[in-house]
Amino acid sequence: RKKRKPGIVLSEWRRRSNNMKMLSRVNLLWIAVFIVVIALLQSPSCAQEEEKAGDKLEEKEEDKNNTQGETKACEGSEGECPNPDVVSVAVDPHPVDEGPYRLITMEEMEQNKGENDGKIYLSILGKVYDVTKGREYYGPTMGYSVFAGRDGVVPFISGKFTEEEADKSTDVLTDVEMFQLRTSWVKFYREEERYPFLGKLIGKYYDEKGEPTEELNRVFTRWRDYVPPPPKQRKNLAVKSNRKPPKKNPPKKKTSSKIK
């Protein structure tokens, strides 16, 4: 057998390697073309997108025509037309729907003020909670004892813990203060696990059947109609109360130590 020269073997090896590279490039090109074709087949065409947009526009026009026809019919009839943007009934934004509840009378409330280590009931807007576990706050002679055994709303906002303040109606509160009452104290007692919900208090806010009274409906209406500002702008909604912040110690004067 004849031996080949080293130069010829090296040239053949280079030629074969170049052929392999060309084949691999061609294969990669075909794979890329195949992927692009599949993507084009799966993506919706421009005509389909235009058809969908046209269908949406037609639906909007039909809705407008229906609403215009309803308003014209209402204008032709006698009486006032209802505003579609206003809810006709103001509902409780914090409904009590977990577990059974009972109706509680004022006599039962007055018997649970925490005297003789007894239970302590608190009511806010007609909803009664058992705050016995917070005796250090609501017990006799304590800071929040004015709330025990009664329904007092205004002191939560005004900071005046007197019986006269607790007897005031919610009409003395502004819309901003009513909004803060809802987002702070009403929400607090609803979510606080230590103070379980007992029932509804028959009197100012609920009748003998447990239905909201006119005064409570006014509260719900004010909450519904008030549009609060964005959260970033709520810093200016601080409630003004008689509770003054502690006085700060005046800064000490700096004495300059100069060498005479």
Side-chain angles (χ1 to χ4, degrees), residues 30-238:
W30 278 110
I31 291 170
V33 171
F34 181 71
I35 292 172
V36 171
V37 171
I38 291 175
L40 290 174
L41 291 174
Q42 290 182 353
S43 63
S45 61
C46 296
Q48 292 177 355
E49 292 180 355
E50 289 178 357
E51 288 179 359
K52 290 181 180 179
D55 293 338
K56 290 181 179 179
L57 289 174
E58 289 179 358
E59 291 177 358
K60 289 182 179 179
E61 289 178 357
E62 288 179 359
D63 294 336
K64 287 182 180 179
N65 293 330
N66 292 331
T67 53
Q68 288 176 0
E70 291 176 358
T71 53
K72 287 180 181 179
C74 182
E75 289 174 358
S77 62
E78 296 180 357
E80 296 182 356
C81 296
N83 188 354
D85 297 330
V86 177
V87 182
S88 59
V89 179
V91 296
D92 187 357
H94 299 280
V96 180
D97 51 2
E98 61 268 3
Y101 65 87
R102 58 190 180 89
L103 298 177
I104 300 173
T105 60
M106 287 299 301
E107 290 77 10
E108 185 178 355
M109 285 289 295
E110 293 176 356
Q111 294 175 1
N112 292 276
K113 292 185 177 181
E115 298 175 353
N116 300 323
D117 295 335
K119 293 184 177 181
I120 305 174
Y121 289 177
L122 176 147
S123 177
I124 180 169
L125 293 177
K127 293 180 180 178
V128 183
Y129 298 88
D130 187 353
V131 296
T132 307
K133 293 184 179 180
R135 189 177 299 275
E136 64 273 17
Y137 304 108
Y138 306 99
T141 69
M142 294 300 172
Y144 291 164
S145 60
V146 69
F147 300 109
R150 67 186 308 158
D151 193 308
V153 177
V154 177
F156 283 108
I157 300 300
S158 65
K160 298 178 182 179
F161 303 128
T162 61
E163 293 183 359
E164 295 178 355
E165 196 76 2
D167 291 335
K168 290 183 179 180
S169 174
T170 55
D171 295 335
V172 301
L173 300 177
T174 63
D175 292 339
V176 176
E177 291 172 341
M178 289 297 296
F179 172 74
Q180 290 182 339
L181 176 70
R182 171 187 170 184
T183 56
S184 58
W185 291 107
V186 174
K187 184 179 180 182
F188 168 74
Y189 287 109
R190 175 174 170 77
E191 297 178 352
E192 182 60 39
E193 297 179 355
R194 296 184 302 165
Y195 306 146
F197 172 73
L198 298 179
K200 297 178 180 179
L201 179 62
I202 300 174
K204 187 186 296 185
Y205 300 107
Y206 289 100
D207 58 14
E208 295 179 353
K209 296 181 180 180
E211 297 296 330
T213 60
E214 292 182 1
E215 187 162 356
L216 186 58
N217 284 326
R218 287 202 306 270
V219 173
F220 295 159
T221 303
R222 293 179 67 183
W223 282 346
R224 180 200 64 190
D225 295 341
Y226 177 69
V227 180
K232 294 182 180 180
Q233 299 179 6
R234 292 181 187 176
K235 295 181 180 179
N236 299 325
L237 298 180

Side-chain angles (χ1 to χ4, degrees), residues 232-257:
K232 294 182 180 180
Q233 299 179 6
R234 292 181 187 176
K235 295 181 180 179
N236 299 325
L237 298 180
V239 177
K240 296 181 180 179
S241 63
N242 295 330
R243 290 175 288 181
K244 297 180 180 180
K247 295 182 180 180
K248 296 182 180 180
N249 297 326
K252 296 181 180 180
K253 296 182 179 179
K254 296 181 180 181
T255 56
S256 59
S257 58

